[in-house]
Amino acid sequence: MAIVLELLSRKNIPLKHYKFEQDYVCVGRDFNNDLRLDDPYVCPSHMLVAVDPESGLLMVNDCQSTNGIKINNKFVNQSTLKPNDIIKIGRTRLRIIDTKAQLPKAMPLSELEENLSWLNKATLAMSLSIACLGYLLFSKYINTVAEFKLLAALPSELGQLAVISLWPLTFAVLAKVVKKESHLINQINLTLIVTLVFFVLNLLQSFFMFNVNPGSWFAWVELLIVALIMMAFIWLSLFVAFHQPTAKRNAITLFMSTLILAPLVLFGFFNEEDFSSRPDYDLTLLPPAYNITGSVETSAFIESSESLFSRVDKQKEL
Amino acid sequence: MRRFLILLFIFSAFAHSQQTAQNLFSQYQSALYQIRIIELESGNKSSIGSGFQIDAQGNMVTNYHVVSEYVYNPDKYRIEYLTINGNSGPLELINFDVVNDLALVRKTELGETEDIFPLATTLPDQGTTIYSLGNPHDLGMIVVPGTFNGIKKNSFYQRIHFTGAINPGMSGGPVVNENGQVMGVNVATAGNQIGFLIPLSKIEHLAAKHADAPLPIDGFKTAIAQQLLANQTELFSKLQNAAWQMAPLGRASIPAKVGEFLSCWGDSNTNDEDALFLSVENRCRLDEQIFLHSGLRSGGIELEFEWLNGQKLGENRFYSLYNSSVIGAGAGNAATKTDVTNYQCKNNKVTNKHNVTSKTVLCIRAYKEFDGLYDVLFVGATLDHKEQGLISHFTLAGVAKDSALRFIKQFMDAVEWQ
C-alpha cells in the first residue's frame, strides 16, 4: 500500500504532495530520510510513518525528537493514523491522504472560459486604457468653462484610471494568493470594458432625459440596468479569478451586488419623505443637433401641469 | 449776526423737538406697553415687542410678528402686557392682519382710568419730525425722534420710510406726530437710521374691528389663509393687468419689469476678462415678504433672466455650462417641514406663441395648513441656439392655483427673439 503525504500551509492549504510506494517513510532534516523537511525545528531523524504488518494500519512513531509530534493538535509518542489526520512536526504540517477515498467528479469545462480567451490580450488592454483615458479627458474638456490645458488635466484623469484599476488588481492578487493564475490582463480588460459601457450609458441617459422627459419611474429602470451590469461584472470577475462551483459564485455575486447597490437604493429612493426646500428636477440640456422630439405649446404644458396641484394636495395628508 | 440767528434757530428747533419728545413721553407713557409672549412650560417670556392702547375698552395694537408664536401655538403660549410701572396682565387676541403685520389685542381687565393714543387723521408732510416709541432689547421704554419720509416708493406691501433708529423690541410700538397722534407702527429696520413703519390706513382698518369678539383659537389658521388668498388675488390681478415692460437681453426680448412695485437689478460678467462666455442677468423681486412665523415667509415674488453667450466655447462646451446653470434652483421663501410639502415637478419642451422653444420645468408645493395656497418654482432654458441661451426663472410664494397658472402662461408667452 502506498503512503501519500501532503504538505500543508499554515492555513491548511495544500502546497505539495509526496507519494511513497514502500511501507515505511522516515521523516527528518537529514538527507538520508525518505521525506526531507527543511525546517530548523525538525530533528535530523524526527519520525517514522509505517504500515503495521499485523493490522495493516498506518502508524506513526516518534524517533526521540526534541519537539515531539502532534496529531490533530495532541502530542503523541506512538499512534495509529486515520486518513485526513494532520501531523505537526516542528513548524511543518503534513496530512495523511486516503488513497482509497472517492474524489468528486471533474467540474465540467465551461465553454465560457474558451470564449473569454480573447480578453487575454495586452494590446486590447492598451487600446481600452487609451479609450477610457480619452473619454475622461474629453468629458473634462467639455465640462471646463475656462481655458483647457491638457497637461494640467492629465494627472487627475490618470489618477481616475488608476482608481478604476484597483478592482482588477484586487482580483488578480486574490487569485494569486489562492495559488491560481492572476489573469491580470483579463481582469483589466473586463473592468475597462465595463467602465466604457457605463460611459456610453451615461451619454445615452442624457440623450433620453433630454428628449423623452420620463417620469420618476425612469430612475428605477436606471437602477435595474446598473444592477444587471454590476452583477454580470462581479460574476465574470469571479469567474476569471477562481475555479468555484457555480452556486457559490452566484451567491458571492448576489452578496457583493447587494452590498454595493443597497446604499444607492436606500439613499436614492427611500428618503423621499425627508423635507427639502429644493425641488428634485431634471433639466438636461443638449445642443439643438440632439433634439429629436417635438415640443408642446404653452397652453398644453399649463394644462398638463394642473395635475401637480392635486398631487401636492394629496401629499399634505401624509 | 445772521450766523448767530441761524444757530439760535437750530438750537431752538432742537430744543423744541426735545421738549416735544419729553412731553409726549410723559403724557402717553401709561398707554404704552411691552407685549410679552410667555411660554407656558417655563412661565418665562420667549419674545417681546411693544404695543399701544387705542381705546378705553382696552384694545391695543402691536405687530403680528410679535404675537406670531401664540397664533401658531395657542396651547403653548399666552400673551401678556407689562406697563411702564411694572404692572402686568393678560391679553386676548382679537384679530390680526398678517399681510400688514398688525395684531389687535385686548386687556381682559380694565383699570379705573385708561390712557389711549389717538389715531391721526392724515399722514404728515415729508420732512416732518415724528417720534417712534418702544422698548428696544427690553431696556425700557424710549422715545426716538426721526423724520417722516413718505410712503416707500414702489412697494406692494406699503411702508412708511422713517429716518430714525428702530431696534428689535420696538416692533409694534407707535410712531406719533407732534400732537401725540399715531400715524404708524414700528415694523422693521434696514440699518443705518432707515426704519419702516406700517402706515395709518392699515392701522385704521384693523382698529375698526375693536368691538369684535376675539377670533376663536381654532379660527386663526383659517383667518391667515383668507388674508393670504385675498392678498394674492390683489397682487396677481395687479401684475396681470399691468403692461409688462419689455427690454432686450442678448438676442431675446424679456419682460424686464412686470409691475412697478418690483425692484430690479442687473449684473454681468463683462469685467471678467478671462471668462470665455458672456453672462448678463436681470433680476426683479418684491422687497417685502409676509412674515407668518419665524420659519415661514410668504407673499414674495422673484423673477430672473440670464442671457448666456458662449461662442468662444463651441456648442458642446457651451451646453455643458448651460446645463450646470439651470440646476439647483431653490425656493424663494423660508418654510419648514410642517408648513409645506415637498416640491412636485413636471418638465417638457415647450414652444411659446413667439416660437421660442425652451426646456421647461415647473415645480409646485402646497401649504399644509392653508388650503388652496401654493409655492411655485419655474425654470426654463431656450433651445433655439447652438452657443447662446436664455434662462428664465421665477418663484412665487403663497399663490392660488388659477392665479399661478395665469401668471405662468403669461410669463412663458412673453419671451421672444428680437
Side-chain angles (χ1 to χ4, degrees):
Chain A
M1 186 183 106
I3 299 173
V4 181
L5 292 173
E6 192 173 45
L7 184 67
L8 299 177
S9 78
R10 254 190 272 178
K11 289 199 166 162
N12 290 347
I13 294 168
L15 297 175
K16 207 171 176 185
H17 79 277
Y18 307 92
K19 187 177 174 198
F20 303 95
E21 293 299 338
Q22 69 259 39
D23 281 353
Y24 61 90
V25 179
C26 292
V27 184
R29 198 152 34 88
D30 197 320
F31 286 92
N32 289 324
N33 286 299
D34 300 309
L35 173 57
R36 193 211 163 229
L37 296 175
D38 190 15
D39 178 346
Y41 300 94
V42 170
C43 291
S45 178
H46 198 113
M47 71 167 181
L48 176 71
V49 179
V51 179
D52 185 35
E54 286 165 27
S55 60
L57 291 173
L58 204 56
M59 305 279 292
V60 63
N61 284 294
D62 193 342
C63 307
Q64 293 173 333
S65 65
T66 315
N67 292 320
I69 302 170
K70 265 184 171 178
I71 307 282
N72 297 332
N73 266 335
K74 269 184 214 142
F75 277 112
V76 292
N77 228 344
Q78 184 180 42
S79 166
T80 55
L81 287 171
K82 297 184 296 297
N84 290 327
D85 277 350
I86 290 173
I87 309 171
K88 193 179 170 202
I89 52 174
R91 282 192 167 170
T92 308
R93 302 153 77 85
L94 295 164
R95 194 197 331 245
I96 305 295
I97 298 295
D98 183 3
T99 47
K100 289 170 200 151
Q102 283 268 317
L103 285 175
K105 268 194 200 161
M107 272 201 266
L109 195 60
S110 166
E111 264 188 55
L112 190 59
E113 187 135 22
E114 296 297 310
N115 292 341
L116 282 179
S117 55
W118 57 271
L119 268 181
N120 191 15
K121 283 204 187 87
T123 47
L124 181 66
M126 212 51 219
S127 33
L128 285 174
S129 304
I130 290 169
C132 275
L133 187 66
Y135 178 87
L136 285 171
L137 283 171
F138 183 68
S139 68
K140 177 117 181 176
Y141 166 74
I142 291 288
N143 292 319
T144 315
V145 181
E147 203 180 328
F148 182 75
K149 295 194 179 82
L150 183 66
L151 282 177
L154 207 54
S156 71
E157 304 315 303
L158 279 172
Q160 275 210 46
L161 207 58
V163 171
I164 294 171
S165 333
L166 282 179
W167 176 277
L169 274 175
T170 313
F171 272 88
V173 168
L174 282 175
K176 197 83 193 165
V177 163
V178 293
K179 287 275 153 194
K180 301 288 187 309
E181 251 186 287
S182 69
H183 294 293
L184 182 63
I185 299 287
N186 296 30
Q187 295 283 11
I188 287 178
N189 282 333
L190 185 62
T191 310
L192 290 176
I193 288 171
V194 171
T195 311
L196 281 173
V197 166
F198 273 118
F199 288 158
V200 171
L201 281 177
N202 205 4
L203 292 177
L204 282 178
Q205 185 222 29
S206 290
F207 184 71
F208 190 75
M209 295 300 268
F210 176 63
N211 281 299
V212 182
N213 305 304
S216 52
W217 55 268
F218 186 63
W220 289 102
V221 176
E222 285 176 83
L223 181 74
L224 186 73
I225 294 172
V226 169
L228 287 175
I229 296 175
M230 269 319 285
M231 280 164 79
F233 177 44
I234 293 171
W235 195 91
L236 282 170
S237 295
L238 290 168
F239 180 81
V240 171
F242 315 110
H243 304 296
Q244 298 160 308
T246 312
K248 189 177 174 188
R249 188 180 302 128
N250 291 347
I252 297 177
T253 304
L254 215 59
F255 176 73
M256 284 181 72
S257 317
T258 322
L259 213 64
I260 294 171
L261 294 169
L264 275 182
V265 177
L266 286 178
F267 292 116
F269 291 90
F270 293 108
N271 58 358
E272 280 171 8
E273 280 158 34
D274 288 359
F275 177 71
S276 163
S277 65
R278 288 183 184 281
D280 179 19
Y281 64 86
D282 175 86
L283 204 62
T284 307
L285 300 174
L286 290 179
Y290 302 96
N291 191 351
I292 56 159
T293 51
S295 56
V296 299
E297 284 186 5
T298 313
S299 48
F301 180 72
I302 299 285
E303 248 167 66
S304 70
S305 305
E306 286 196 31
S307 64
L308 282 175
F309 291 89
S310 45
R311 257 162 67 195
V312 288
D313 277 339
K314 254 180 236 156
Q315 251 191 25
K316 286 206 274 195
E317 288 135 36
L318 299 177
Chain B
M1 185 64 190
R2 189 193 261 170
R3 191 177 292 167
F4 174 74
L5 271 179
I6 290 172
L7 267 176
L8 186 71
F9 176 74
I10 290 172
F11 176 75
S12 62
F14 178 71
H16 173 72
S17 110
Q18 278 269 315
Q19 193 67 30
T20 322
Q22 278 167 11
N23 282 346
L24 281 173
F25 193 69
S26 54
Q27 193 178 344
Y28 290 107
Q29 56 173 318
S30 50
L32 196 58
Y33 298 87
Q34 186 186 58
I35 309 284
R36 317 176 133 209
I37 304 301
I38 309 291
E39 206 253 334
L40 294 180
E41 203 70 38
S42 66
N44 215 332
K45 58 180 186 291
S46 79
S47 68
I48 54 162
S50 304
F52 57 98
Q53 194 164 340
I54 55 164
D55 61 22
Q57 285 76 48
N59 285 302
M60 289 180 206
V61 170
T62 183
N63 281 140
Y64 165 82
H65 77 251
V66 171
V67 298
S68 64
E69 272 178 308
Y70 171 76
V71 173
Y72 260 79
N73 292 299
D75 49 338
K76 289 193 182 126
Y77 297 95
R78 63 187 156 84
I79 319 175
E80 245 184 42
Y81 67 85
L82 182 72
T83 66
I84 209 138
N85 306 320
N87 301 325
S88 64
L91 289 171
E92 56 183 356
L93 181 64
I94 307 301
N95 215 319
F96 49 75
D97 177 353
V98 283
V99 174
N100 295 299
D101 200 357
L102 287 175
L104 189 65
V105 290
R106 188 184 293 156
K107 281 199 222 173
T108 49
E109 295 146 16
L110 293 175
E112 285 171 15
T113 56
E114 293 289 337
D115 289 322
I116 63 160
F117 275 97
L119 296 189
T121 46
T122 53
L123 290 177
D125 295 329
Q126 184 155 2
T128 312
T129 304
I130 50 176
Y131 305 87
S132 165
L133 296 125
N135 187 344
H137 299 285
D138 201 16
L139 294 169
M141 285 295 173
I142 61 158
V143 55
V144 182
T147 314
F148 174 83
N149 270 309
I151 298 279
K152 183 171 168 276
K153 279 196 301 176
N154 303 337
S155 60
F156 178 74
Y157 302 111
Q158 277 188 6
R159 300 283 188 269
I160 291 174
H161 179 186
F162 171 74
T163 309
I166 296 181
N167 280 296
M170 289 174 77
S171 287
V175 181
V176 297
N177 59 21
E178 286 189 330
N179 305 321
Q181 296 166 318
V182 178
M183 29 75 50
V185 175
N186 300 327
V187 66
T189 172
N192 282 338
Q193 301 275 322
I194 298 175
F196 295 111
L197 318 174
I198 305 291
L200 179 64
S201 58
K202 312 293 179 191
I203 308 169
E204 283 171 336
H205 190 255
L206 186 65
K209 298 189 170 131
H210 66 94
D212 290 4
L215 272 184
I217 284 178
D218 57 6
F220 291 169
K221 300 283 168 61
T222 329
I224 297 179
Q226 280 168 356
Q227 294 177 7
L228 290 177
L229 272 168
N231 177 63
Q232 66 87 29
T233 309
E234 193 196 337
L235 173 59
F236 282 90
S237 69
K238 275 190 178 174
L239 278 179
Q240 272 143 21
N241 294 332
W244 288 15
Q245 226 179 74
M246 303 299 284
L249 186 73
R251 286 168 76 168
S253 169
I254 55 150
K257 197 151 192 183
V258 302
E260 57 192 16
F261 40 81
L262 292 169
S263 67
C264 297
W265 304 87
D267 193 13
S268 83
N269 70 342
T270 42
N271 287 338
D272 183 358
E273 282 168 12
D274 291 338
L276 295 179
F277 64 95
L278 170 74
S279 152
V280 189
E281 283 177 335
N282 184 312
R283 302 162 187 269
C284 295
R285 63 187 180 95
L286 271 189
D287 280 337
E288 280 88 25
Q289 297 191 353
I290 299 169
F291 178 101
L292 290 167
H293 67 74
S294 57
L296 178 62
R297 306 281 189 286
S298 188
I301 296 179
E302 299 173 313
L303 305 172
E304 287 181 21
F305 290 95
E306 183 179 11
W307 169 254
L308 285 170
N309 187 341
Q311 273 158 330
K312 284 185 205 156
L313 286 170
E315 189 173 12
N316 290 310
R317 287 175 84 191
F318 171 73
Y319 265 81
S320 163
L321 161 78
Y322 199 25
N323 212 350
S324 60
S325 306
V326 295
I327 55 176
N333 57 324
T336 66
K337 189 180 177 169
T338 48
D339 302 314
V340 289
T341 64
N342 270 341
Y343 278 107
Q344 290 286 329
C345 301
K346 186 155 211 106
N347 58 358
N348 211 334
K349 282 186 269 190
V350 184
T351 303
N352 78 358
K353 68 176 184 191
H354 299 298
N355 229 3
V356 177
T357 303
S358 306
K359 179 101 183 195
T360 300
V361 63
L362 178 66
C363 302
I364 311 275
R365 67 180 181 188
Y367 286 73
K368 286 183 175 171
E369 292 181 298
F370 309 134
D371 277 341
L373 280 174
Y374 306 89
D375 284 346
V376 177
L377 182 149
F378 173 95
V379 187
T382 61
L383 300 172
D384 296 335
H385 300 100
K386 284 182 176 175
E387 286 143 352
Q388 291 152 329
L390 176 76
I391 299 170
S392 15
H393 165 56
F394 66 80
T395 64
L396 313 174
V399 53
K401 181 177 166 182
D402 49 339
S403 317
L405 291 176
R406 268 203 310 273
F407 182 85
I408 298 163
K409 185 165 191 314
Q410 195 172 350
F411 183 92
M412 287 173 74
D413 273 340
V415 176
E416 56 184 307
W417 297 124
Q418 286 177 11

